[in-house]
């Protein structure tokens, strides 16, 4: 994992996105060692020629229900009510551990293929311990850097015991896959369950990610007051779909050390609300991007950056015209790492960080002659531009192809999973009709 990347146009993102020009990136023992011109390569180092490429940190997705890869585009025109009924109410329970594994593995590989090197997996299909084990195993087998979102919908008194067992059994040591508490939160479950979720996070020393602020102003206000009044804001928390907070509430979140995850496409198409991107940034909250679900939205970060940029710039009266392509790239990289609690690990090219890198082709008709490489990444690139991907200094995609011999098997398992889930759902629906 000693590599020197030469001849590429290098973009760093910390403290702000900047084009460094045609310089080298040296990777040693999986970490970024140096960035600069004419770097010397050790005799055993691999030299990657990045001519015609843009080199930048890998993207960070801070909220994705990765297991849903097998039900992609199941209902592209659904509303939030339809999502809750069909996806969570009918399709999710039809997933056994095998289907969770197939969907999570394929979904994580989809991320890597599109340049997402870090993922917060909001794994809300953990109906049994076997489901949980399957999700964790799939993330590990994929090779992505991930935080597995432990989500427990059972009795509050079981949360700590089960959560500790998952951490100690799977995720307590070093490695690419760690753990966060994916809390259902006070807007979805009762106070006892919500308190138990934050207690689990506090006792295990883990951050929380929760859907908070996306169910209307009244629920957002009540939920935030619950967290404040019970002293729960001291636990690092990612607020997913924070659309219905006012500016003062966003300032409270920022002052507490909380972060925000914006899913701009899903939030608009499902009717959750107008993305809070610019207002969260103005409040001082670390703000990030996420794909959320591929049941009714694209799964790549290029789409999310473009949507966030367009929606923010299009605010009435020119209120969002200060939002730039550099802001969009920052949300997809270093700010995503901050929200995920991994700012010292990934998200930029700072020496000492893990070498999570993406090389984008800039020699195609859609990318050639770009005067501003950052603008081209945000507004012109798509998944076809992703040429090479590294995670912790290991090349996982090269020359436009994931380096896995088992991709046909992964895709076949995903297709079988899709057939099985839809068949089980149809059977369950028929049973309900007969009972009526």
């Amino acid at each position: 994992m000693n590599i020197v990347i030469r001849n590429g146009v290098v973009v760093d993102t910390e403290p702000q996105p900047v084009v460094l020009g045609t310089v080298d990136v040296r990777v040693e023992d999986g970490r970024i060692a140096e960035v600069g011109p004419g770097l010397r390569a050790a005799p055993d180092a691999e030299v990657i020629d990045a001519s015609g490429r843009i080199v930048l940190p890998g993207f960070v997705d801070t909220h994705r229900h990765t297991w849903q890869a097998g039900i992609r585009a199941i209902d592209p025109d659904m509303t939030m009510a339809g999502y809750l009924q069909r996806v969570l109410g009918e399709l999710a329970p039809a997933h056994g551990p095998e289907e969770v594994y197939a969907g999570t593995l394929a979904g994580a590989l989809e991320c890597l293929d599109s340049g997402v090197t870090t993922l917060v997996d909001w794994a809300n299909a953990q109906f049994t311990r076997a489901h949980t084990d399957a999700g964790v195993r799939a993330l590990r087998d994929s090779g992505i850097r991930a935080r597995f979102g432990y989500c427990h919908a059972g009795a509050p008194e079981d949360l700590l015991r089960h959560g500790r067992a998952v951490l100690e059994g799977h995720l307590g040591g070093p490695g690419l896959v760690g753990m966060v508490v994916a809390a259902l939160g006070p807007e979805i479950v009762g106070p006892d369950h919500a308190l138990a979720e934050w207690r689990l996070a506090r006792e295990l020393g883990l951050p929380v990610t929760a859907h908070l602020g996306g169910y209307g102003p009244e629920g957002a206000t009540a939920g935030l007051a619950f967290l404040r009044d019970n002293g729960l804001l001291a636990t690092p928390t990612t607020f997913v779909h924070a659309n219905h907070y006012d500016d003062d509430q966003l300032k409270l979140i920022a002052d507490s050390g909380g972060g925000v995850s914006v899913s701009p496409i899903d939030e608009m198409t499902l009717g959750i609300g107008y993305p809070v991107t610019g207002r969260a940034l103005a409040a001082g909250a670390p703000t990030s991007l996420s794909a959320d679900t591929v049941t009714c939205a694209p799964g790549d970060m290029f789409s999310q950056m473009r949507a966030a940029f367009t929606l923010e710039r299009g605010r009435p009266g020119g209120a969002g015209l200060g939002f730039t392509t550099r802001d969009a790239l920052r949300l997809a990289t270093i700010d995503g790492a901050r929200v995920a609690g991994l700012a010292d690990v990934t998200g930029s090219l700072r020496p000492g960080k893990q070498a999570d890198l993406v090389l984008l082709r800039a020699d195609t008709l859609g990318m050639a002659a770009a005067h501003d490489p950052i603008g081209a990444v945000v507004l012109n690139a798509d998944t076809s531009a992703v040429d090479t991907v590294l995670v912790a200094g290991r090349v996982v995609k090269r020359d436009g192809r994931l380096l896995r011999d088992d991709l046909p098997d992964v895709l076949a398992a995903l297709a079988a999973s899709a057939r099985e889930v839809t068949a089980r759902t149809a059977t369950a629906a028929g049973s309900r009709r007969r009972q009526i």
Side-chain angles (χ1 to χ4, degrees):
M1 292 192 290
N2 293 333
I3 296 170
V4 175
I5 301 171
R6 298 199 188 280
N7 305 320
V9 175
V10 177
V11 173
D12 198 4
T13 55
E14 189 179 17
Q16 298 290 335
V18 61
V19 179
L20 300 179
T22 304
V23 296
D24 302 338
V25 179
R26 184 167 68 84
V27 176
E28 186 174 299
D29 296 329
R31 296 180 180 272
I32 297 168
E34 277 184 288
V35 179
L39 299 182
R40 187 178 63 85
D44 63 341
E46 175 188 357
V47 176
I48 296 178
D49 183 4
S51 299
R53 305 291 186 266
I54 298 172
V55 182
L56 70 158
F59 301 127
V60 180
D61 185 324
T62 57
H63 161 239
R64 182 187 294 241
H65 305 289
T66 318
W67 59 271
Q68 295 178 4
I71 50 174
R72 184 187 310 277
I74 193 75
D75 190 347
D77 305 312
M78 70 173 66
T79 63
M80 188 62 184
Y83 176 83
L84 293 174
Q85 177 183 338
R86 188 166 189 206
V87 175
L88 298 187
E90 298 172 5
L91 291 162
H95 280 70
E98 288 185 4
E99 288 75 38
V100 166
Y101 178 85
T104 303
L105 177 60
L109 292 177
E110 174 189 1
C111 288
L112 289 174
D113 195 42
S114 66
V116 173
T117 55
T118 299
L119 166 68
V120 178
D121 179 23
W122 225 102
N124 56 337
Q126 297 181 55
F127 303 106
T128 67
R129 177 62 187 270
H131 287 78
T132 301
D133 294 346
V136 173
R137 183 163 53 90
L139 292 175
R140 281 191 170 148
D141 289 350
S142 74
I144 199 167
R145 185 181 306 283
R147 290 297 175 261
F148 177 76
Y150 174 70
C151 182
H152 182 84
E157 57 269 20
D158 293 333
L159 261 171
L160 185 59
R161 177 169 56 86
H162 288 174
R164 181 179 286 115
V166 172
L167 182 65
E168 293 176 352
H170 285 305
L171 302 169
L176 292 175
V177 183
M179 180 172 163
V180 298
V181 175
L184 296 172
E187 295 180 46
I188 297 176
V189 293
D192 290 344
H193 193 105
L195 286 170
E197 291 173 324
W198 265 261
R199 179 188 171 207
L200 168 67
R202 184 175 63 250
E203 295 196 13
L204 297 184
L206 299 174
V208 170
T209 174
H211 297 78
L212 293 163
Y215 304 99
E218 185 176 342
T221 297
L224 188 59
F226 175 86
L227 298 182
R228 181 197 62 212
D229 295 345
N230 287 281
L232 306 182
L233 290 174
T235 298
T237 299
T238 299
F239 291 71
V240 178
H241 307 318
N243 306 56
H244 294 288
Y245 294 121
D246 62 29
D247 292 346
D248 289 338
Q249 291 168 328
L250 290 171
K251 185 68 164 55
L252 174 62
I253 290 169
D255 291 345
S256 74
V260 172
S261 180
V262 178
S263 308
I265 296 176
D266 266 359
E267 288 169 6
M268 290 297 287
T269 59
L270 288 174
I272 297 174
Y274 208 94
V276 75
T277 315
R279 292 199 302 117
L281 288 172
T287 306
S288 61
L289 298 175
S290 61
D292 192 2
T293 173
V294 296
T295 59
C296 54
D300 66 283
M301 191 57 68
F302 302 105
S303 297
Q304 308 307 324
M305 286 191 291
R306 270 194 281 279
F309 175 79
T310 303
L311 290 167
E312 196 57 39
R313 299 273 296 190
R315 286 189 180 274
L321 288 176
F323 189 85
T324 69
T325 52
R326 279 159 171 73
D327 293 324
L329 181 61
R330 191 177 79 245
L331 266 58
T333 53
I334 184 60
D335 278 3
R338 290 189 180 109
V339 171
L342 295 169
D344 290 333
V345 177
T346 189
S348 75
L349 304 184
R350 188 206 314 160
K353 286 193 178 186
Q354 296 280 312
D356 297 348
L357 304 171
V358 174
L359 278 62
L360 302 179
R361 290 190 61 181
D363 59 355
T364 65
L365 288 173
M367 289 285 284
H371 292 253
D372 182 342
I374 293 175
V377 170
V378 174
L379 298 180
N380 304 117
D382 58 28
T383 57
S384 68
V386 182
D387 178 81
T388 301
V389 179
L390 290 78
V391 178
R394 184 172 70 90
V395 178
V396 298
K397 182 175 183 177
R398 190 192 300 271
D399 298 329
R401 297 179 63 86
L402 285 176
L403 302 183
R404 294 184 68 104
D405 295 330
D406 64 344
L407 269 182
D409 295 335
V410 171
L411 292 171
L414 185 67
S417 163
R419 291 192 297 269
E420 184 65 29
V421 165
T422 51
R424 289 174 187 167
T425 305
T427 299
S431 176
R432 287 193 297 272
R433 285 194 296 269
R434 287 190 297 272
Q435 290 172 4
I436 293 173

